[in-house]
Amino acid sequence: MNKFITAVTLFLFNLLLSQAQSTTLKAGETAPDFKLKNVDGKEVSFASFPKAKGYIVVFTCNTCPYAVAYEQRIIELDKKFKAQGYPVIAINPNDPEASKADSFDKMQELAKDKKYPFPYLFDAGQKVTDQYGAKRTPHLFIVSKTDKGNVVEYVGAIDSDPEGTKTEKTKYAEEVIAALKSNKKPAVTQTKEIGCTVKRKAKA
């Protein structure tokens, strides 16, 4: 009987956990702060950017073909908008037991090879991934720093061209930041994220 109760309790716990993981933050909600290890070994949080007006938080990884396709565009976002007060903060949401090529060592190698100008953070235990409800790589959250705290302004795709082959595309991230810089609310606050699912280790 005790084994049955334990099994039911574990099932319910995993069910609640999966439901919590399925809830993605929406525009207008508070963006949880975090303190995660960067590839240089230092911890990074929102407070690491005291002059920022907001943040381009992107959950991405080493291995997903979509993340690879967006890599240069993420670099360009940081180069274009960091000086304007909107730095990129990249977070790897994949569990290294489920995706060995997304280990911290491999993250360090990639960041060095590609000369990432932004922090690339390791989310051990996927706590921040679950707080944001990040589902895929890449999954973008644009955040404003306000008097009431850090507020989500946009969630979804970086642009409308996941393969990187279109000559005409809607640059969602750039349009959102342009609106915020003009003290306006973005016309689009949510789009469908496109990429590989976040990799999780099998539950015991």
Side-chain angles (χ1 to χ4, degrees), residues 122-160:
F122 179 59
D123 185 17
Q126 301 177 307
K127 180 180 177 182
V128 177
T129 300
D130 292 340
Q131 287 178 326
Y132 277 74
K135 293 290 194 351
R136 296 183 180 274
T137 50
H139 200 164
L140 187 73
F141 297 76
I142 295 180
V143 176
S144 279
K145 185 163 69 174
T146 76
D147 294 337
K148 298 179 180 179
N150 297 311
V151 177
V152 177
E153 300 283 0
Y154 170 83
V155 180
I158 294 169
D159 59 33
S160 63

PDB file of all heavy atoms in Angstrom, residues 122-160:
ATOM      1  N   PHE A 122      24.924  28.959 -18.243  1.00  0.00           N
ATOM      2  CA  PHE A 122      24.551  27.567 -18.054  1.00  0.00           C
ATOM      3  C   PHE A 122      23.459  27.480 -16.987  1.00  0.00           C
ATOM      4  O   PHE A 122      23.671  27.871 -15.846  1.00  0.00           O
ATOM      5  CB  PHE A 122      25.787  26.766 -17.635  1.00  0.00           C
ATOM      6  CG  PHE A 122      25.517  25.305 -17.391  1.00  0.00           C
ATOM      7  CD1 PHE A 122      25.010  24.505 -18.395  1.00  0.00           C
ATOM      8  CD2 PHE A 122      25.796  24.723 -16.164  1.00  0.00           C
ATOM      9  CE1 PHE A 122      24.781  23.155 -18.185  1.00  0.00           C
ATOM     10  CE2 PHE A 122      25.566  23.376 -15.937  1.00  0.00           C
ATOM     11  CZ  PHE A 122      25.048  22.592 -16.959  1.00  0.00           C
ATOM     12  N   ASP A 123      22.297  26.959 -17.370  1.00  0.00           N
ATOM     13  CA  ASP A 123      21.170  26.851 -16.442  1.00  0.00           C
ATOM     14  C   ASP A 123      21.149  25.457 -15.820  1.00  0.00           C
ATOM     15  O   ASP A 123      20.368  24.589 -16.216  1.00  0.00           O
ATOM     16  CB  ASP A 123      19.855  27.144 -17.164  1.00  0.00           C
ATOM     17  CG  ASP A 123      18.653  27.158 -16.230  1.00  0.00           C
ATOM     18  OD1 ASP A 123      18.865  27.260 -15.002  1.00  0.00           O
ATOM     19  OD2 ASP A 123      17.512  27.071 -16.723  1.00  0.00           O
ATOM     20  N   ALA A 124      22.004  25.248 -14.828  1.00  0.00           N
ATOM     21  CA  ALA A 124      22.078  23.951 -14.155  1.00  0.00           C
ATOM     22  C   ALA A 124      20.752  23.653 -13.461  1.00  0.00           C
ATOM     23  O   ALA A 124      20.240  24.479 -12.720  1.00  0.00           O
ATOM     24  CB  ALA A 124      23.208  23.951 -13.134  1.00  0.00           C
ATOM     25  N   GLY A 125      20.197  22.488 -13.743  1.00  0.00           N
ATOM     26  CA  GLY A 125      18.921  22.117 -13.145  1.00  0.00           C
ATOM     27  C   GLY A 125      17.706  22.696 -13.849  1.00  0.00           C
ATOM     28  O   GLY A 125      16.566  22.416 -13.459  1.00  0.00           O
ATOM     29  N   GLN A 126      17.931  23.544 -14.863  1.00  0.00           N
ATOM     30  CA  GLN A 126      16.861  24.097 -15.705  1.00  0.00           C
ATOM     31  C   GLN A 126      15.831  24.908 -14.913  1.00  0.00           C
ATOM     32  O   GLN A 126      14.687  25.082 -15.341  1.00  0.00           O
ATOM     33  CB  GLN A 126      16.173  22.978 -16.493  1.00  0.00           C
ATOM     34  CG  GLN A 126      17.142  22.218 -17.389  1.00  0.00           C
ATOM     35  CD  GLN A 126      16.515  21.075 -18.121  1.00  0.00           C
ATOM     36  OE1 GLN A 126      15.885  20.218 -17.503  1.00  0.00           O
ATOM     37  NE2 GLN A 126      16.692  21.022 -19.434  1.00  0.00           N
ATOM     38  N   LYS A 127      16.246  25.475 -13.790  1.00  0.00           N
ATOM     39  CA  LYS A 127      15.333  26.257 -12.956  1.00  0.00           C
ATOM     40  C   LYS A 127      14.854  27.514 -13.673  1.00  0.00           C
ATOM     41  O   LYS A 127      13.659  27.818 -13.690  1.00  0.00           O
ATOM     42  CB  LYS A 127      16.013  26.637 -11.635  1.00  0.00           C
ATOM     43  CG  LYS A 127      15.137  27.449 -10.694  1.00  0.00           C
ATOM     44  CD  LYS A 127      15.860  27.786  -9.400  1.00  0.00           C
ATOM     45  CE  LYS A 127      14.978  28.656  -8.507  1.00  0.00           C
ATOM     46  NZ  LYS A 127      15.703  29.030  -7.247  1.00  0.00           N
ATOM     47  N   VAL A 128      15.795  28.255 -14.267  1.00  0.00           N
ATOM     48  CA  VAL A 128      15.425  29.501 -14.961  1.00  0.00           C
ATOM     49  C   VAL A 128      14.624  29.190 -16.222  1.00  0.00           C
ATOM     50  O   VAL A 128      13.661  29.877 -16.548  1.00  0.00           O
ATOM     51  CB  VAL A 128      16.687  30.322 -15.284  1.00  0.00           C
ATOM     52  CG1 VAL A 128      16.329  31.577 -16.072  1.00  0.00           C
ATOM     53  CG2 VAL A 128      17.418  30.699 -13.993  1.00  0.00           C
ATOM     54  N   THR A 129      15.002  28.125 -16.898  1.00  0.00           N
ATOM     55  CA  THR A 129      14.253  27.677 -18.076  1.00  0.00           C
ATOM     56  C   THR A 129      12.789  27.456 -17.722  1.00  0.00           C
ATOM     57  O   THR A 129      11.881  27.877 -18.459  1.00  0.00           O
ATOM     58  CB  THR A 129      14.857  26.375 -18.620  1.00  0.00           C
ATOM     59  OG1 THR A 129      16.226  26.602 -18.985  1.00  0.00           O
ATOM     60  CG2 THR A 129      14.094  25.860 -19.822  1.00  0.00           C
ATOM     61  N   ASP A 130      12.543  26.813 -16.587  1.00  0.00           N
ATOM     62  CA  ASP A 130      11.177  26.537 -16.162  1.00  0.00           C
ATOM     63  C   ASP A 130      10.462  27.798 -15.683  1.00  0.00           C
ATOM     64  O   ASP A 130       9.262  27.953 -15.887  1.00  0.00           O
ATOM     65  CB  ASP A 130      11.171  25.479 -15.055  1.00  0.00           C
ATOM     66  CG  ASP A 130      11.615  24.111 -15.561  1.00  0.00           C
ATOM     67  OD1 ASP A 130      11.559  23.902 -16.792  1.00  0.00           O
ATOM     68  OD2 ASP A 130      12.007  23.266 -14.739  1.00  0.00           O
ATOM     69  N   GLN A 131      11.188  28.702 -15.048  1.00  0.00           N
ATOM     70  CA  GLN A 131      10.573  29.952 -14.594  1.00  0.00           C
ATOM     71  C   GLN A 131      10.063  30.777 -15.779  1.00  0.00           C
ATOM     72  O   GLN A 131       9.003  31.401 -15.704  1.00  0.00           O
ATOM     73  CB  GLN A 131      11.568  30.775 -13.780  1.00  0.00           C
ATOM     74  CG  GLN A 131      11.847  30.226 -12.392  1.00  0.00           C
ATOM     75  CD  GLN A 131      12.884  31.045 -11.649  1.00  0.00           C
ATOM     76  OE1 GLN A 131      13.817  31.592 -12.249  1.00  0.00           O
ATOM     77  NE2 GLN A 131      12.728  31.144 -10.337  1.00  0.00           N
ATOM     78  N   TYR A 132      10.835  30.768 -16.856  1.00  0.00           N
ATOM     79  CA  TYR A 132      10.436  31.524 -18.048  1.00  0.00           C
ATOM     80  C   TYR A 132       9.489  30.713 -18.933  1.00  0.00           C
ATOM     81  O   TYR A 132       8.782  31.285 -19.763  1.00  0.00           O
ATOM     82  CB  TYR A 132      11.681  31.940 -18.845  1.00  0.00           C
ATOM     83  CG  TYR A 132      12.322  33.198 -18.310  1.00  0.00           C
ATOM     84  CD1 TYR A 132      13.054  33.188 -17.128  1.00  0.00           C
ATOM     85  CD2 TYR A 132      12.184  34.411 -18.974  1.00  0.00           C
ATOM     86  CE1 TYR A 132      13.635  34.330 -16.620  1.00  0.00           C
ATOM     87  CE2 TYR A 132      12.770  35.569 -18.481  1.00  0.00           C
ATOM     88  CZ  TYR A 132      13.485  35.526 -17.301  1.00  0.00           C
ATOM     89  OH  TYR A 132      14.051  36.674 -16.797  1.00  0.00           O
ATOM     90  N   GLY A 133       9.506  29.401 -18.761  1.00  0.00           N
ATOM     91  CA  GLY A 133       8.695  28.554 -19.618  1.00  0.00           C
ATOM     92  C   GLY A 133       9.268  28.445 -21.016  1.00  0.00           C
ATOM     93  O   GLY A 133       8.528  28.291 -22.003  1.00  0.00           O
ATOM     94  N   ALA A 134      10.588  28.524 -21.116  1.00  0.00           N
ATOM     95  CA  ALA A 134      11.236  28.399 -22.423  1.00  0.00           C
ATOM     96  C   ALA A 134      11.030  26.984 -22.956  1.00  0.00           C
ATOM     97  O   ALA A 134      11.262  26.003 -22.251  1.00  0.00           O
ATOM     98  CB  ALA A 134      12.723  28.712 -22.311  1.00  0.00           C
ATOM     99  N   LYS A 135      10.584  26.887 -24.199  1.00  0.00           N
ATOM    100  CA  LYS A 135      10.220  25.596 -24.778  1.00  0.00           C
ATOM    101  C   LYS A 135      11.204  25.106 -25.836  1.00  0.00           C
ATOM    102  O   LYS A 135      11.363  23.913 -26.040  1.00  0.00           O
ATOM    103  CB  LYS A 135       8.850  25.702 -25.442  1.00  0.00           C
ATOM    104  CG  LYS A 135       7.706  25.940 -24.483  1.00  0.00           C
ATOM    105  CD  LYS A 135       7.446  24.712 -23.657  1.00  0.00           C
ATOM    106  CE  LYS A 135       6.134  24.763 -22.924  1.00  0.00           C
ATOM    107  NZ  LYS A 135       5.426  25.992 -22.929  1.00  0.00           N
ATOM    108  N   ARG A 136      11.794  26.061 -26.547  1.00  0.00           N
ATOM    109  CA  ARG A 136      12.596  25.683 -27.704  1.00  0.00           C
ATOM    110  C   ARG A 136      13.883  26.500 -27.756  1.00  0.00           C
ATOM    111  O   ARG A 136      14.047  27.482 -27.038  1.00  0.00           O
ATOM    112  CB  ARG A 136      11.795  25.868 -29.002  1.00  0.00           C
ATOM    113  CG  ARG A 136      10.572  24.954 -29.067  1.00  0.00           C
ATOM    114  CD  ARG A 136       9.818  25.089 -30.381  1.00  0.00           C
ATOM    115  NE  ARG A 136       8.666  24.203 -30.416  1.00  0.00           N
ATOM    116  CZ  ARG A 136       8.695  22.936 -30.799  1.00  0.00           C
ATOM    117  NH1 ARG A 136       9.831  22.400 -31.206  1.00  0.00           N
ATOM    118  NH2 ARG A 136       7.605  22.202 -30.793  1.00  0.00           N
ATOM    119  N   THR A 137      14.769  26.060 -28.625  1.00  0.00           N
ATOM    120  CA  THR A 137      15.992  26.817 -28.882  1.00  0.00           C
ATOM    121  C   THR A 137      16.033  27.180 -30.367  1.00  0.00           C
ATOM    122  O   THR A 137      15.992  26.281 -31.209  1.00  0.00           O
ATOM    123  CB  THR A 137      17.233  25.980 -28.510  1.00  0.00           C
ATOM    124  OG1 THR A 137      17.146  24.673 -29.108  1.00  0.00           O
ATOM    125  CG2 THR A 137      17.337  25.811 -27.008  1.00  0.00           C
ATOM    126  N   PRO A 138      16.007  28.501 -30.641  1.00  0.00           N
ATOM    127  CA  PRO A 138      15.988  29.613 -29.690  1.00  0.00           C
ATOM    128  C   PRO A 138      14.565  30.014 -29.266  1.00  0.00           C
ATOM    129  O   PRO A 138      13.613  29.787 -30.011  1.00  0.00           O
ATOM    130  CB  PRO A 138      16.648  30.741 -30.472  1.00  0.00           C
ATOM    131  CG  PRO A 138      16.283  30.464 -31.906  1.00  0.00           C
ATOM    132  CD  PRO A 138      16.213  28.966 -32.033  1.00  0.00           C
ATOM    133  N   HIS A 139      14.454  30.589 -28.066  1.00  0.00           N
ATOM    134  CA  HIS A 139      13.197  31.146 -27.555  1.00  0.00           C
ATOM    135  C   HIS A 139      13.546  32.489 -26.936  1.00  0.00           C
ATOM    136  O   HIS A 139      14.346  32.563 -26.014  1.00  0.00           O
ATOM    137  CB  HIS A 139      12.580  30.206 -26.522  1.00  0.00           C
ATOM    138  CG  HIS A 139      11.119  30.434 -26.287  1.00  0.00           C
ATOM    139  ND1 HIS A 139      10.307  29.518 -25.661  1.00  0.00           N
ATOM    140  CD2 HIS A 139      10.309  31.485 -26.596  1.00  0.00           C
ATOM    141  CE1 HIS A 139       9.067  29.975 -25.602  1.00  0.00           C
ATOM    142  NE2 HIS A 139       9.055  31.173 -26.153  1.00  0.00           N
ATOM    143  N   LEU A 140      12.937  33.547 -27.458  1.00  0.00           N
ATOM    144  CA  LEU A 140      13.330  34.917 -27.126  1.00  0.00           C
ATOM    145  C   LEU A 140      12.356  35.572 -26.155  1.00  0.00           C
ATOM    146  O   LEU A 140      11.133  35.450 -26.303  1.00  0.00           O
ATOM    147  CB  LEU A 140      13.397  35.747 -28.413  1.00  0.00           C
ATOM    148  CG  LEU A 140      13.943  37.169 -28.292  1.00  0.00           C
ATOM    149  CD1 LEU A 140      15.446  37.144 -28.084  1.00  0.00           C
ATOM    150  CD2 LEU A 140      13.608  37.978 -29.538  1.00  0.00           C
ATOM    151  N   PHE A 141      12.926  36.284 -25.166  1.00  0.00           N
ATOM    152  CA  PHE A 141      12.151  37.087 -24.222  1.00  0.00           C
ATOM    153  C   PHE A 141      12.786  38.479 -24.167  1.00  0.00           C
ATOM    154  O   PHE A 141      13.936  38.605 -23.750  1.00  0.00           O
ATOM    155  CB  PHE A 141      12.163  36.471 -22.823  1.00  0.00           C
ATOM    156  CG  PHE A 141      11.526  35.118 -22.737  1.00  0.00           C
ATOM    157  CD1 PHE A 141      12.190  33.988 -23.205  1.00  0.00           C
ATOM    158  CD2 PHE A 141      10.259  34.966 -22.188  1.00  0.00           C
ATOM    159  CE1 PHE A 141      11.598  32.723 -23.126  1.00  0.00           C
ATOM    160  CE2 PHE A 141       9.660  33.707 -22.111  1.00  0.00           C
ATOM    161  CZ  PHE A 141      10.335  32.597 -22.581  1.00  0.00           C
ATOM    162  N   ILE A 142      12.057  39.494 -24.602  1.00  0.00           N
ATOM    163  CA  ILE A 142      12.564  40.862 -24.502  1.00  0.00           C
ATOM    164  C   ILE A 142      11.958  41.500 -23.262  1.00  0.00           C
ATOM    165  O   ILE A 142      10.743  41.468 -23.055  1.00  0.00           O
ATOM    166  CB  ILE A 142      12.264  41.674 -25.768  1.00  0.00           C
ATOM    167  CG1 ILE A 142      13.021  41.068 -26.962  1.00  0.00           C
ATOM    168  CG2 ILE A 142      12.664  43.142 -25.574  1.00  0.00           C
ATOM    169  CD1 ILE A 142      12.798  41.775 -28.278  1.00  0.00           C
ATOM    170  N   VAL A 143      12.820  42.069 -22.434  1.00  0.00           N
ATOM    171  CA  VAL A 143      12.443  42.539 -21.107  1.00  0.00           C
ATOM    172  C   VAL A 143      12.775  44.024 -20.969  1.00  0.00           C
ATOM    173  O   VAL A 143      13.836  44.466 -21.405  1.00  0.00           O
ATOM    174  CB  VAL A 143      13.205  41.737 -20.028  1.00  0.00           C
ATOM    175  CG1 VAL A 143      12.912  42.261 -18.626  1.00  0.00           C
ATOM    176  CG2 VAL A 143      12.867  40.249 -20.134  1.00  0.00           C
ATOM    177  N   SER A 144      11.869  44.782 -20.353  1.00  0.00           N
ATOM    178  CA  SER A 144      12.122  46.183 -20.033  1.00  0.00           C
ATOM    179  C   SER A 144      12.452  46.331 -18.560  1.00  0.00           C
ATOM    180  O   SER A 144      11.858  45.656 -17.716  1.00  0.00           O
ATOM    181  CB  SER A 144      10.886  47.049 -20.329  1.00  0.00           C
ATOM    182  OG  SER A 144      10.794  47.359 -21.689  1.00  0.00           O
ATOM    183  N   LYS A 145      13.388  47.216 -18.253  1.00  0.00           N
ATOM    184  CA  LYS A 145      13.671  47.555 -16.858  1.00  0.00           C
ATOM    185  C   LYS A 145      12.819  48.766 -16.499  1.00  0.00           C
ATOM    186  O   LYS A 145      12.977  49.839 -17.089  1.00  0.00           O
ATOM    187  CB  LYS A 145      15.157  47.850 -16.665  1.00  0.00           C
ATOM    188  CG  LYS A 145      15.541  48.101 -15.215  1.00  0.00           C
ATOM    189  CD  LYS A 145      17.036  47.970 -14.992  1.00  0.00           C
ATOM    190  CE  LYS A 145      17.814  49.067 -15.637  1.00  0.00           C
ATOM    191  NZ  LYS A 145      19.259  49.014 -15.299  1.00  0.00           N
ATOM    192  N   THR A 146      11.899  48.600 -15.558  1.00  0.00           N
ATOM    193  CA  THR A 146      10.973  49.668 -15.200  1.00  0.00           C
ATOM    194  C   THR A 146      11.049  49.961 -13.703  1.00  0.00           C
ATOM    195  O   THR A 146      11.710  49.249 -12.939  1.00  0.00           O
ATOM    196  CB  THR A 146       9.514  49.275 -15.549  1.00  0.00           C
ATOM    197  OG1 THR A 146       9.031  48.327 -14.575  1.00  0.00           O
ATOM    198  CG2 THR A 146       9.424  48.654 -16.928  1.00  0.00           C
ATOM    199  N   ASP A 147      10.323  51.014 -13.282  1.00  0.00           N
ATOM    200  CA  ASP A 147      10.270  51.351 -11.853  1.00  0.00           C
ATOM    201  C   ASP A 147       9.599  50.242 -11.050  1.00  0.00           C
ATOM    202  O   ASP A 147       9.789  50.138  -9.842  1.00  0.00           O
ATOM    203  CB  ASP A 147       9.489  52.662 -11.656  1.00  0.00           C
ATOM    204  CG  ASP A 147      10.213  53.853 -12.265  1.00  0.00           C
ATOM    205  OD1 ASP A 147      11.446  53.754 -12.436  1.00  0.00           O
ATOM    206  OD2 ASP A 147       9.556  54.852 -12.570  1.00  0.00           O
ATOM    207  N   LYS A 148       8.802  49.428 -11.724  1.00  0.00           N
ATOM    208  CA  LYS A 148       8.089  48.337 -11.055  1.00  0.00           C
ATOM    209  C   LYS A 148       8.814  46.999 -11.193  1.00  0.00           C
ATOM    210  O   LYS A 148       8.264  45.954 -10.864  1.00  0.00           O
ATOM    211  CB  LYS A 148       6.679  48.228 -11.614  1.00  0.00           C
ATOM    212  CG  LYS A 148       5.829  49.473 -11.373  1.00  0.00           C
ATOM    213  CD  LYS A 148       4.442  49.321 -11.976  1.00  0.00           C
ATOM    214  CE  LYS A 148       3.608  50.571 -11.731  1.00  0.00           C
ATOM    215  NZ  LYS A 148       2.260  50.457 -12.334  1.00  0.00           N
ATOM    216  N   GLY A 149      10.022  47.046 -11.711  1.00  0.00           N
ATOM    217  CA  GLY A 149      10.796  45.819 -11.886  1.00  0.00           C
ATOM    218  C   GLY A 149      10.990  45.480 -13.352  1.00  0.00           C
ATOM    219  O   GLY A 149      10.677  46.286 -14.246  1.00  0.00           O
ATOM    220  N   ASN A 150      11.491  44.303 -13.605  1.00  0.00           N
ATOM    221  CA  ASN A 150      11.743  43.850 -14.970  1.00  0.00           C
ATOM    222  C   ASN A 150      10.492  43.194 -15.542  1.00  0.00           C
ATOM    223  O   ASN A 150       9.960  42.253 -14.971  1.00  0.00           O
ATOM    224  CB  ASN A 150      12.915  42.864 -14.981  1.00  0.00           C
ATOM    225  CG  ASN A 150      14.200  43.513 -14.511  1.00  0.00           C
ATOM    226  OD1 ASN A 150      14.566  44.586 -14.976  1.00  0.00           O
ATOM    227  ND2 ASN A 150      14.893  42.891 -13.572  1.00  0.00           N
ATOM    228  N   VAL A 151      10.036  43.732 -16.672  1.00  0.00           N
ATOM    229  CA  VAL A 151       8.751  43.323 -17.243  1.00  0.00           C
ATOM    230  C   VAL A 151       8.951  42.746 -18.637  1.00  0.00           C
ATOM    231  O   VAL A 151       9.665  43.319 -19.468  1.00  0.00           O
ATOM    232  CB  VAL A 151       7.787  44.531 -17.317  1.00  0.00           C
ATOM    233  CG1 VAL A 151       6.473  44.125 -17.974  1.00  0.00           C
ATOM    234  CG2 VAL A 151       7.535  45.097 -15.927  1.00  0.00           C
ATOM    235  N   VAL A 152       8.323  41.611 -18.899  1.00  0.00           N
ATOM    236  CA  VAL A 152       8.373  40.989 -20.223  1.00  0.00           C
ATOM    237  C   VAL A 152       7.573  41.831 -21.214  1.00  0.00           C
ATOM    238  O   VAL A 152       6.436  42.210 -20.952  1.00  0.00           O
ATOM    239  CB  VAL A 152       7.799  39.561 -20.180  1.00  0.00           C
ATOM    240  CG1 VAL A 152       7.781  38.944 -21.571  1.00  0.00           C
ATOM    241  CG2 VAL A 152       8.610  38.686 -19.223  1.00  0.00           C
ATOM    242  N   GLU A 153       8.186  42.130 -22.346  1.00  0.00           N
ATOM    243  CA  GLU A 153       7.525  42.924 -23.394  1.00  0.00           C
ATOM    244  C   GLU A 153       7.168  42.082 -24.615  1.00  0.00           C
ATOM    245  O   GLU A 153       6.229  42.400 -25.339  1.00  0.00           O
ATOM    246  CB  GLU A 153       8.428  44.077 -23.832  1.00  0.00           C
ATOM    247  CG  GLU A 153       8.795  45.060 -22.726  1.00  0.00           C
ATOM    248  CD  GLU A 153       7.667  46.016 -22.393  1.00  0.00           C
ATOM    249  OE1 GLU A 153       6.592  45.920 -23.016  1.00  0.00           O
ATOM    250  OE2 GLU A 153       7.867  46.877 -21.508  1.00  0.00           O
ATOM    251  N   TYR A 154       7.944  41.038 -24.853  1.00  0.00           N
ATOM    252  CA  TYR A 154       7.748  40.222 -26.055  1.00  0.00           C
ATOM    253  C   TYR A 154       8.284  38.823 -25.798  1.00  0.00           C
ATOM    254  O   TYR A 154       9.318  38.641 -25.145  1.00  0.00           O
ATOM    255  CB  TYR A 154       8.483  40.840 -27.251  1.00  0.00           C
ATOM    256  CG  TYR A 154       8.547  39.947 -28.465  1.00  0.00           C
ATOM    257  CD1 TYR A 154       7.484  39.887 -29.365  1.00  0.00           C
ATOM    258  CD2 TYR A 154       9.654  39.132 -28.690  1.00  0.00           C
ATOM    259  CE1 TYR A 154       7.534  39.034 -30.466  1.00  0.00           C
ATOM    260  CE2 TYR A 154       9.713  38.282 -29.786  1.00  0.00           C
ATOM    261  CZ  TYR A 154       8.648  38.236 -30.665  1.00  0.00           C
ATOM    262  OH  TYR A 154       8.696  37.386 -31.744  1.00  0.00           O
ATOM    263  N   VAL A 155       7.596  37.830 -26.365  1.00  0.00           N
ATOM    264  CA  VAL A 155       8.015  36.434 -26.248  1.00  0.00           C
ATOM    265  C   VAL A 155       7.824  35.747 -27.598  1.00  0.00           C
ATOM    266  O   VAL A 155       6.764  35.897 -28.229  1.00  0.00           O
ATOM    267  CB  VAL A 155       7.177  35.685 -25.190  1.00  0.00           C
ATOM    268  CG1 VAL A 155       7.630  34.233 -25.094  1.00  0.00           C
ATOM    269  CG2 VAL A 155       7.271  36.361 -23.840  1.00  0.00           C
ATOM    270  N   GLY A 156       8.825  34.987 -28.042  1.00  0.00           N
ATOM    271  CA  GLY A 156       8.623  34.221 -29.271  1.00  0.00           C
ATOM    272  C   GLY A 156       9.869  34.090 -30.118  1.00  0.00           C
ATOM    273  O   GLY A 156      10.960  33.808 -29.624  1.00  0.00           O
ATOM    274  N   ALA A 157       9.689  34.305 -31.417  1.00  0.00           N
ATOM    275  CA  ALA A 157      10.763  34.127 -32.391  1.00  0.00           C
ATOM    276  C   ALA A 157      11.559  35.412 -32.567  1.00  0.00           C
ATOM    277  O   ALA A 157      11.065  36.516 -32.320  1.00  0.00           O
ATOM    278  CB  ALA A 157      10.177  33.698 -33.736  1.00  0.00           C
ATOM    279  N   ILE A 158      12.780  35.277 -33.027  1.00  0.00           N
ATOM    280  CA  ILE A 158      13.631  36.431 -33.288  1.00  0.00           C
ATOM    281  C   ILE A 158      13.170  37.165 -34.542  1.00  0.00           C
ATOM    282  O   ILE A 158      13.119  38.390 -34.586  1.00  0.00           O
ATOM    283  CB  ILE A 158      15.100  35.984 -33.424  1.00  0.00           C
ATOM    284  CG1 ILE A 158      15.591  35.441 -32.076  1.00  0.00           C
ATOM    285  CG2 ILE A 158      15.982  37.123 -33.920  1.00  0.00           C
ATOM    286  CD1 ILE A 158      16.928  34.740 -32.130  1.00  0.00           C
ATOM    287  N   ASP A 159      12.820  36.403 -35.567  1.00  0.00           N
ATOM    288  CA  ASP A 159      12.279  36.962 -36.802  1.00  0.00           C
ATOM    289  C   ASP A 159      11.450  35.888 -37.485  1.00  0.00           C
ATOM    290  O   ASP A 159      11.231  34.804 -36.932  1.00  0.00           O
ATOM    291  CB  ASP A 159      13.403  37.501 -37.715  1.00  0.00           C
ATOM    292  CG  ASP A 159      14.428  36.441 -38.106  1.00  0.00           C
ATOM    293  OD1 ASP A 159      14.043  35.260 -38.255  1.00  0.00           O
ATOM    294  OD2 ASP A 159      15.612  36.785 -38.278  1.00  0.00           O
ATOM    295  N   SER A 160      10.977  36.184 -38.674  1.00  0.00           N
ATOM    296  CA  SER A 160      10.083  35.258 -39.381  1.00  0.00           C
ATOM    297  C   SER A 160      10.822  34.344 -40.352  1.00  0.00           C
ATOM    298  O   SER A 160      10.210  33.762 -41.252  1.00  0.00           O
ATOM    299  CB  SER A 160       9.015  36.056 -40.149  1.00  0.00           C
ATOM    300  OG  SER A 160       9.633  36.876 -41.136  1.00  0.00           O
TER     301      SER A 160
END
